[in-house]
């Protein structure tokens, strides 16, 4: 009999362990500082993520997700109305919701999802909690006025959600988590990692070290600009010039996926080499934001795109924990935090830029010569379109692998074709091309063929996504 009890307990232990890992990897909420589990994870060299977003929120709206595409839109609209919101999978039970104590609940889903195989009903007991509930299944119900009425007239919220407050609370939480230990941040110069650096710097000052890896596929002057800005701040900023190292690895490679993999892997190796030189650093910081978590699936069981923040880092970096102070925020909120923290506007309002950089905008083999050509053409595109009062969400140049015959200064040429891409989007998962005026297009073309040697033809990409992606590779 004792044996049976022993095996039952063993099975139960492994089931609980599996649930715990799910929590650690996916839910990113408050990590229980269970000493035994923490040392166990440390032994396995699996970082514990230090989420801090919800623990201090008093008044919040819970969005229960039953599939469909409106959850993020609703959550952002609620926040824009000064009320904190959080998205949870629809299968959360009434007792769990009671513990979270939201002031209102919004159920959202689409008919497709509700009728799909494996669809699950919500726990009927939530209607007995005495919390106001609203259902949204159509886009027109996501309007600000509708949601405002629900929040203020039905739920009686005070509307006290304020990002200034968020900063203060996060600084407190970071200090509490980190104590007197050290934190390492991989700084790319993009919006999220830049804002993350500024916030961490305010919280822990000298305990922070930031590494920027220049892989040689940055835009014109970008590496130097990033160094100029960040080395002036108290960030223990380290710029690693790894240009030759990356170009050597990329030599002769033409396959887009292979290029991405080589760059991802080499980044990890450089990061590893550098962090080894720095001695023991206990925490790794990342600029993960809320949509990265929601879209990565996890507790939602519905992966849209897997976020690469942790997946790309080597297991043997052996950090005790991961600090992600922006993991409760949407992109537009991160930009606001950047503004409040006094970052220059061009940093917090930047366009998205892919990790592999210009390597996925140079078709075919990536060489220094081709990168330099593209940098010049791209600078012109960004300068000209950047003058528009209403700017598109993303605009850049691509160096195609096509050469065509032309004539410059009465001489026959056989030069590269540059493509221009400019897109309008709200989610970057779909897009439309920007209907640029002929006047601007003409100016871009004249400048590129006039100022960039070895380019004598320019084309404009008017394909939406789908079927084309935003980047060309
Ligand atoms: P696609 O090309 O997939 O791009 O339509 C959608 C958005 O994602 C950006 N993008 C990347 N961002 N690492 C990133 O951090 C990447 O490897 C990457 N590839 C594409 C792209 O610029 C666009 O905003």
């Amino acid at each position: 009999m004792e044996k049976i009890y022993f095996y039952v307990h063993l099975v139960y232990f492994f089931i609980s362990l599996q649930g715990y890992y799910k929590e650690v990897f996916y839910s990113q909420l408050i990590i229980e500082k269970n000493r035994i589990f923490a040392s166990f994870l440390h032994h396995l060299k699996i970082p514990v993520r230090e989420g801090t977003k919800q623990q201090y929120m008093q008044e919040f709206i819970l969005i229960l997700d039953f599939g469909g595409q409106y959850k993020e839109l609703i959550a952002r609209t609620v926040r824009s109305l000064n009320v904190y919101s959080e998205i949870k999978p629809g299968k959360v039970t009434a007792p769990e919701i009671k513990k979270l104590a939201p002031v209102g609940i919004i159920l959202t889903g689409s008919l497709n999802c509700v009728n799909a195989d494996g669809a699950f009903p919500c726990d009927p007991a939530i209607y007995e909690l005495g919390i106001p509930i609203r259902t949204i299944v159509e886009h027109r119900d996501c309007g600000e006025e509708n949601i405002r009425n629900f929040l203020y007239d039905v739920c009686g919220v005070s509307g006290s959600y304020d990002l200034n407050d968020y900063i203060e609370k996060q600084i407190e939480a970071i200090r509490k988590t980190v104590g007197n230990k050290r934190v390492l941040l991989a700084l790319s110069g993009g919006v999220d990692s830049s804002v993350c650096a500024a916030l961490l710097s305010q919280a822990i000052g000298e305990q922070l070290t930031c590494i920027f890896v220049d892989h040689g596929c940055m835009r014109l002057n970008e590496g130097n600009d990033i160094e100029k800005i960040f080395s002036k701040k108290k960030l223990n900023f380290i710029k690693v010039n790894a240009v030759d190292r990356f170009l050597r690895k990329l030599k002769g490679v033409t396959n887009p996926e292979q290029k991405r993999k080589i760059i991802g892997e080499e980044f990890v190796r450089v990061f590893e080499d550098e962090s080894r030189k720095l001695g023991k650093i206990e925490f790794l910081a990342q600029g993960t934001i809320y949509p990265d978590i929601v879209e990565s699936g996890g507790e939602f069981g519905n992966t849209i795109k897997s976020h690469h923040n942790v997946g790309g880092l080597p297991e043997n970096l052996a950090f005790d924990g991961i600090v992600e102070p922006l993991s409760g925020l949407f992109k537009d909120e991160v930009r606001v935090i950047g503004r409040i923290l006094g970052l220059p506007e061009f940093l917090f309002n930047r366009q998205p830029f892919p990790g592999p950089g210009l390597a996925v905008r140079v078709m075919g083999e990536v060489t220094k010569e081709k990168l330099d050509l593209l940098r010049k053409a791209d600078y012109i595109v960004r300068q000209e379109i950047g003058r528009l009062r209403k700017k598109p969400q993303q605009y850049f140049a691509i160096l195609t692998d096509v050469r065509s015959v032309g004539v410059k200064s009465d001489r026959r040429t056989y030069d590269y074709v540059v493509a221009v891409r400019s897109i309008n989007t709200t989610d970057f998962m779909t897009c439309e091309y920007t209907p640029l005026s002929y006047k601007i297009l003409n100016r871009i073309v004249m400048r590129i063929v006039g100022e960039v040697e070895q380019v004598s033809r320019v084309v404009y990409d008017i394909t939406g996504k789908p079927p084309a992606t935003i980047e060309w590779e």
Side-chain angles (χ1 to χ4, degrees):
M1 198 60 185
E2 267 185 6
K3 256 190 174 170
I4 294 173
Y5 273 131
F6 173 75
Y7 285 118
V8 168
H9 274 102
L10 202 63
V11 169
Y12 179 74
F13 173 73
F14 280 112
I15 291 171
S16 328
L17 201 60
Q18 191 195 11
Y20 184 81
Y21 275 131
K22 256 193 171 159
E23 184 78 358
V24 168
F25 277 111
Y26 300 133
S27 76
Q28 333 217 342
L29 294 179
I30 310 154
I31 300 291
E32 259 196 55
K33 296 244 171 117
N34 180 316
R35 194 175 54 77
I36 300 166
F37 270 124
S39 62
F40 181 55
L41 289 173
H42 178 63
H43 183 65
L44 289 180
K45 302 198 186 316
I46 296 171
V48 180
R49 318 192 92 172
E50 298 289 345
T52 42
K53 64 188 150 116
Q54 194 195 274
Q55 60 218 36
Y56 57 85
M57 289 298 167
Q58 296 300 312
E59 178 183 88
F60 90 103
I61 294 289
L62 179 64
I63 294 150
L64 286 188
D65 170 32
F66 293 88
Q69 47 185 315
Y70 303 129
K71 55 182 179 286
E72 285 186 42
L73 176 60
I74 298 166
R76 274 169 55 200
T77 308
V78 171
R79 293 209 194 169
S80 70
L81 293 165
N82 303 324
V83 182
Y84 184 69
S85 62
E86 228 173 79
I87 307 167
K88 291 257 165 214
K91 54 188 158 214
V92 171
T93 62
E96 286 167 329
I97 293 174
K98 198 171 167 197
K99 243 197 241 166
L100 294 170
V103 291
I105 300 172
I106 298 177
L107 310 177
T108 179
S110 68
L111 284 180
N112 275 351
C113 295
V114 171
N115 293 330
D117 284 349
F120 46 85
C122 81
D123 181 350
I126 69 168
Y127 291 98
E128 287 153 26
L129 292 173
I131 302 171
I133 297 179
R134 181 167 184 183
T135 307
I136 294 184
V137 288
E138 289 188 39
H139 187 261
R140 60 172 181 209
D141 297 330
C142 302
E144 200 177 285
E145 217 30 59
N146 255 330
I147 294 182
R148 184 197 301 276
N149 289 344
F150 176 65
L151 299 182
Y152 286 86
D153 300 344
V154 182
C155 304
V157 298
S158 64
S160 54
Y161 176 55
D162 176 357
L163 287 173
N164 279 296
D165 198 34
Y166 188 99
I167 293 174
E168 258 175 51
K169 295 289 191 326
Q170 276 302 332
I171 287 177
E172 228 172 83
I174 293 165
R175 285 182 183 153
K176 199 161 158 230
T177 302
V178 172
N180 57 5
K181 308 232 168 90
R182 295 171 73 196
V183 177
L184 185 66
L185 172 71
L187 181 66
S188 69
V191 179
D192 304 336
S193 66
S194 301
V195 173
C196 192
L199 189 58
L200 284 164
S201 171
Q202 281 216 0
I204 53 167
E206 279 292 306
Q207 290 157 255
L208 174 67
T209 300
C210 297
I211 298 187
F212 165 64
V213 177
D214 186 351
H215 52 28
C217 302
M218 307 298 285
R219 289 162 288 194
L220 193 71
N221 300 331
E222 195 167 13
N224 291 340
D225 288 348
I226 288 171
E227 184 175 21
K228 235 185 263 162
I229 292 164
F230 290 104
S231 57
K232 276 194 218 129
K233 302 189 186 292
K234 290 186 180 145
L235 296 174
N236 293 318
F237 177 85
I238 299 169
K239 179 185 174 196
V240 183
N241 184 340
V243 178
D244 293 342
R245 195 169 160 167
F246 276 89
L247 288 183
R248 254 198 320 273
K249 290 270 172 187
L250 288 168
K251 198 165 170 19
V253 180
T254 54
N255 179 292
E257 268 313 291
Q258 217 184 331
K259 282 190 204 173
R260 281 177 176 271
K261 282 200 182 118
I262 288 172
I263 292 176
E265 157 107 34
E266 199 55 19
F267 179 83
V268 168
R269 301 279 83 94
V270 175
F271 196 71
E272 228 175 1
D273 290 350
E274 293 303 315
S275 59
R276 238 183 254 122
K277 295 179 200 162
L278 295 168
K280 176 73 183 157
I281 298 195
E282 289 83 356
F283 288 93
L284 174 72
Q286 302 202 111
T288 311
I289 64 172
Y290 195 41
D292 299 336
I293 291 169
V294 174
E295 287 165 14
S296 291
E299 61 179 335
F300 298 88
N302 177 24
T303 303
I304 296 169
K305 67 175 178 198
S306 287
H307 193 62
H308 56 269
N309 270 2
V310 172
L313 290 166
E315 278 177 23
N316 55 357
L317 272 177
F319 290 99
D320 295 352
I322 294 175
V323 180
E324 295 176 317
L326 307 178
S327 67
L329 299 178
F330 285 101
K331 191 78 158 194
D332 50 338
E333 294 178 305
V334 174
R335 294 191 205 274
V336 174
I337 300 264
R339 185 190 294 277
I340 297 173
L341 291 175
L343 282 181
E345 170 145 9
F346 89 90
L347 265 184
F348 63 75
N349 262 344
R350 316 190 82 185
Q351 301 181 41
F353 186 61
L358 298 183
V360 293
R361 295 178 184 173
V362 167
M363 307 289 94
E365 187 184 2
V366 180
T367 62
K368 174 143 191 331
E369 180 217 21
K370 284 164 94 179
L371 285 166
D372 285 340
L373 280 185
L374 178 57
R375 273 190 265 268
K376 285 186 200 156
D378 179 67
Y379 184 73
I380 294 169
V381 170
R382 286 187 296 124
Q383 218 178 27
E384 291 300 331
I385 300 181
R387 289 202 179 108
L388 290 176
R389 209 147 42 92
K390 196 164 174 293
K391 295 180 198 29
Q393 278 65 49
Q394 217 173 342
Y395 41 99
F396 54 88
I398 299 108
L399 187 69
T400 74
D401 209 18
V402 171
R403 286 177 184 231
S404 83
V405 174
V407 53
K408 264 191 193 174
S409 313
D410 294 334
R411 285 183 50 198
R412 180 187 184 276
T413 55
Y414 186 56
D415 288 338
Y416 284 108
V417 177
V418 159
V420 176
R421 186 103 169 107
S422 176
I423 56 112
N424 298 347
T425 180
T426 49
D427 56 11
F428 293 90
M429 289 190 275
T430 57
C431 80
E432 288 167 5
Y433 75 90
T434 314
L436 292 175
S437 72
Y438 283 115
K439 201 169 143 196
I440 292 186
L441 286 171
N442 188 46
R443 211 164 38 227
I444 291 172
V445 173
M446 295 313 284
R447 280 196 61 193
I448 292 179
V449 295
E451 296 173 34
V452 188
E453 271 177 51
Q454 295 185 55
V455 177
S456 54
R457 195 178 296 266
V458 180
V459 295
Y460 185 43
D461 180 357
I462 58 165
T463 329
K465 175 184 176 182
T469 50
I470 295 172
E471 303 293 343
W472 272 37
E473 283 196 343

